[in-house]
Amino acid sequence: MSSVRVLVVDDSATMRSLISAVLRRDPEISVVGQAGDPLEAREAIKQLNPDVITLDVEMPNMNGLAFLEKIMRLRPMPVVMVSTLTQVGADVSLAALEIGAIDCVGKPSAGVPAEQAFASLAAKVKAAARARVRPGSDRAPSHAAGGDFKPDGRIVAIGSSTGGVEALLSVLSAFPANCPPTVITQHMPGTFTRSFAERLNRTCAAHVEEASEGAQLRVGQIYLAPGGDNHLQVVGSTQLRCRLVPEPAVNGHRPSVDVLFDSVARVAGKGAVGVILTGMGRDGANGLLSMRNAGAATIGQNEQTSVVYGMPRVAFEVGAVERQLPLERIGAEIINRCNATRETA
């Protein structure tokens, strides 16, 4: 495999050097250039033709979001946002992901040393190099189901990672206001998930909130696992509810999709629909297989529409996926599966 060619864009020379040094430790990455602002970056892109750009948000001459929009409109390519704003300005980071950035990494801070902040940077850059760039403006529109939907009592569990912001916006925008009770684990830092839940709530017909301990699963409610400190599980018998579990990371993640899916398999069995969306790695594959073995319907995002066809690929290969679909059809398929009034063959 040839080296991933990276252009580092940041207005701080110190930060450019630090990012470059971290990336150069990986033998599969080659830092081919650096730029201090978007004007320099534009010329460097033309001359160097990098595979991936790391991009700061706050820079002179043009901010990173404006430059990202231009990249996605004129020359779509993989971009990983690297900024202090990815930690304290979650709305800005989510906007970058919606525009088309593949992933975000926070810069070091007083409480987060460089080794910790950039621990996943090389892996995310390499994943970005393999990703399918889908500019936000190219996102296929989704429309909420009509008034003929009647929930059949099933719950929905969804897992996603890299590319999941776009994917979840697409899927959940197809849900009606009286959607099935839905639980979601998206790999995302704790500073992101509350803002992302609020963003989804503004966009979707159903109510979306960050999951809290003991929250009861109800029709018309969507619960997003908080990032960082806990796994989200579904527990209960007659009344299902959320449980936040402060256990070690699983598959390198906390919250983990496998933990969520395994819990749904135990308590809901055939009364559930499991969905695995775009993402790097294999988290969720075994849990989705547990769901399918328990009688649940299972859906996986197809390769052509996945930003990173990692999690759904592994799930498909282990036999966990009953049906693979393009992103734009998944929301409607979930609602159809959970519709008590649908016609059955």
Side-chain angles (χ1 to χ4, degrees):
M1 174 183 173
S2 59
S3 292
V4 176
R5 295 163 48 82
V6 182
L7 173 65
V8 176
V9 184
D10 195 294
D11 67 331
S12 164
T14 300
M15 191 57 60
R16 292 197 302 272
S17 296
L18 179 57
I19 293 169
S20 297
V22 169
L23 293 176
R24 283 176 176 139
R25 292 176 197 159
D26 192 306
E28 296 179 349
I29 295 176
S30 175
V31 177
V32 296
Q34 300 180 10
D37 63 36
L39 300 181
E40 290 181 14
R42 184 176 60 186
E43 295 305 313
I45 291 170
K46 293 177 182 177
Q47 295 175 13
L48 301 172
N49 192 29
D51 301 314
V52 179
I53 299 173
T54 68
L55 179 63
D56 188 17
V57 170
E58 289 189 320
M59 293 181 294
N61 297 322
M62 181 189 301
N63 70 54
L65 287 182
F67 185 51
L68 179 63
E69 288 177 337
K70 287 184 177 293
I71 291 173
M72 291 303 157
R73 186 173 70 252
L74 302 175
R75 188 172 176 170
M77 62 190 306
V79 176
V80 176
M81 304 302 292
V82 185
S83 174
T84 54
L85 293 182
T86 60
Q87 296 175 325
V88 299
D91 287 341
V92 177
S93 300
L94 291 170
L97 293 169
E98 289 183 43
I99 291 169
I102 301 298
D103 217 328
C104 291
V105 177
K107 287 183 178 178
S109 64
V112 184
E115 289 297 323
Q116 179 181 339
F118 289 153
S120 63
L121 179 58
K124 290 187 175 185
V125 163
K126 290 190 289 186
R130 299 188 298 269
R132 290 172 178 80
V133 179
R134 289 168 58 90
S137 58
D138 289 348
R139 186 185 301 121
S142 256
H143 303 283
D148 60 346
F149 175 73
K150 181 180 179 181
D152 66 358
R154 283 194 271 189
I155 68 170
V156 177
I158 303 175
S160 53
S161 186
T162 310
V165 168
E166 172 197 352
L168 289 169
L169 283 166
S170 174
V171 170
L172 299 182
S173 64
F175 280 27
N178 63 333
C179 72
T182 300
V183 285
I184 300 169
T185 288
Q186 156 74 32
H187 297 157
M188 187 174 276
T191 51
F192 279 37
T193 46
R194 184 175 297 277
S195 291
F196 187 38
E198 292 170 354
R199 169 73 177 91
L200 289 170
N201 190 49
R202 293 192 297 268
T203 303
C204 303
H207 177 76
V208 186
E209 64 184 53
E210 198 174 38
S212 57
E213 175 64 29
Q216 295 185 348
L217 272 59
R218 300 185 184 278
V219 168
Q221 300 278 350
I222 300 171
Y223 306 89
L224 179 69
D229 297 326
N230 298 285
H231 296 292
L232 173 61
Q233 294 181 335
V234 175
V235 297
S237 52
T238 56
Q239 175 60 65
L240 300 180
R241 63 187 188 278
C242 296
R243 173 175 288 171
L244 301 181
V245 183
E247 294 180 352
V250 174
N251 300 318
H253 298 284
R254 190 173 60 188
S256 162
V257 181
D258 267 334
V259 171
L260 175 62
F261 284 175
D262 282 338
S263 73
V264 172
R266 288 193 299 270
V267 301
K270 64 182 180 180
V273 175
V275 184
I276 194 160
L277 302 175
T278 175
M280 179 172 62
R282 61 174 298 120
D283 189 32
N286 290 335
L288 193 68
L289 182 59
S290 295
M291 288 187 66
R292 188 174 188 186
N293 288 339
T298 59
I299 300 168
Q301 187 174 350
N302 70 359
E303 181 175 4
Q304 291 73 22
T305 62
S306 293
V307 172
V308 177
Y309 187 57
M311 287 162 49
R313 175 185 62 80
V314 178
F316 181 77
E317 290 176 349
V318 301
V321 175
E322 175 189 352
R323 189 174 187 193
Q324 270 197 333
L325 291 172
L327 176 63
E328 58 270 18
R329 290 177 53 193
I330 291 176
E333 177 69 13
I334 295 168
I335 295 306
N336 182 57
R337 293 291 187 101
C338 298
N339 192 351
T341 64
R342 74 185 176 109
E343 296 181 2
T344 57

